[in-house]
Amino acid sequence: EPEVTQTPSHQVTQMGQEVILRCVPISNHLYFYWYRQILGQKVEFLVSFYNNEISEKSEIFDDQFSVERPDGSNFTLKIRSTKLEDSAMYFCAGTTGSTEAFFGQGTRLTVV
Amino acid sequence: AQSVTQPDIHITVSEGASLELRCNYSYGATPYLFWYVQSPGQGLQLLLKYFSGDTLVQGIKGFEAEFKRSQSSFNLRKPSVHWSDAAEYFCAVGAKQAGTALIFGKGTTLSVSS
């Protein structure tokens, strides 16, 4: 069964450093998303991406965040200068647009 | 405001007993409703979904959910819980429009006692 793959599974970074979280979506998906889950809190939407551009973003997704799909395969989330409050589980998801979203296993980001 | 409420933060059920997890939503458009399960260290796995039609939907692992428009609810049920069902359960709502973000509830942690 096809699945969404995220790497790394756990990333530890120092405050102020840049991090890139990677995702390989299911091949026939057209819409891609990043969500995050701060420990003990609900899953929150960050951004959606379609046709190589952002289609929707939340208030959380400020100028420190960016997404791209550089090679038509990987879908990345970059955090330019990490803060302690960016520590969370980050989930990538995808959908064909007419079905439910399929989520990856997540990347746990720890900012120290 | 669009939101999903899961009123129970933590529920403990005996193995073999029935289960009902509550979910209420507030959403401006016609809702698409989902239940996801998250086991420790794992991602979000879809249990079931409601798009339209029959308001009682069946999912994987013996779960079902009933959409009640008048109560804005989408409660998850299972007639007999297994120890392996211990996990965190999330209700989510989205729109029919492709690419719309999902709005999640805060989740309910299910513990199963023997």
Side-chain angles (χ1 to χ4, degrees):
Chain A
E1 185 177 322
E3 59 181 26
V4 177
T5 305
Q6 289 186 244
T7 55
S9 56
H10 191 187
Q11 170 109 35
V12 180
T13 188
Q14 290 205 324
M15 193 167 52
Q17 294 297 302
E18 174 184 286
V19 294
I20 297 176
L21 310 183
R22 291 183 166 79
C23 170
V24 178
I26 296 171
S27 60
N28 67 337
H29 282 180
L30 301 173
Y31 296 82
F32 311 103
Y33 310 82
W34 284 101
Y35 290 82
R36 80 171 184 191
Q37 183 185 28
I38 295 173
L39 187 64
Q41 298 187 25
K42 64 180 177 180
V43 177
E44 300 173 291
F45 167 74
L46 292 178
V47 66
S48 59
F49 191 83
Y50 170 71
N51 202 25
N52 281 321
E53 60 183 28
I54 291 173
S55 50
E56 187 180 353
K57 61 183 181 179
S58 72
E59 294 174 350
I60 303 167
F61 194 87
D62 61 21
D63 292 342
Q64 292 299 310
F65 292 90
S66 63
V67 290
E68 65 175 1
R69 199 161 181 246
D71 55 9
S73 173
N74 293 283
F75 178 49
T76 62
L77 173 69
K78 182 193 290 186
I79 308 175
R80 233 176 299 280
S81 177
T82 50
K83 307 184 190 72
L84 294 176
E85 54 264 37
D86 293 327
S87 295
M89 181 76 91
Y90 288 81
F91 291 105
C92 172
T95 175
T96 60
S98 60
T99 64
E100 66 275 14
F102 288 82
F103 285 79
Q105 302 268 50
T107 293
R108 179 164 297 287
L109 176 65
T110 302
V111 182
V112 296
Chain B
Q2 300 179 133
S3 65
V4 174
T5 301
Q6 294 180 246
D8 304 305
I9 297 172
H10 191 179
I11 284 183
T12 299
V13 175
S14 299
E15 191 169 15
S18 64
L19 169 71
E20 182 169 31
L21 301 182
R22 295 181 290 165
C23 172
N24 292 94
Y25 66 90
S26 173
Y27 201 68
T30 300
Y32 280 12
L33 293 154
F34 308 85
W35 275 98
Y36 285 87
V37 61
Q38 183 183 31
S39 297
Q42 302 295 310
L44 297 166
Q45 182 184 22
L46 181 71
L47 282 177
L48 46 76
K49 63 192 179 203
Y50 172 77
F51 286 176
S52 65
D54 192 346
T55 56
L56 184 63
V57 293
Q58 303 296 320
I60 62 171
K61 304 184 181 185
F63 285 92
E64 66 178 27
E66 186 171 12
F67 171 57
K68 292 185 177 180
R69 185 184 301 276
S70 61
Q71 298 177 20
S72 298
S73 69
F74 189 57
N75 294 348
L76 181 72
R77 301 195 293 249
K78 186 169 183 178
S80 178
V81 167
H82 188 261
W83 64 267
S84 61
D85 294 324
E88 183 133 24
Y89 292 80
F90 293 94
C91 181
V93 65
K96 181 179 180 180
Q97 181 181 350
T100 305
L102 293 177
I103 298 169
F104 284 83
K106 291 188 175 182
T108 297
T109 301
L110 172 66
S111 297
V112 180
S113 61
S114 55

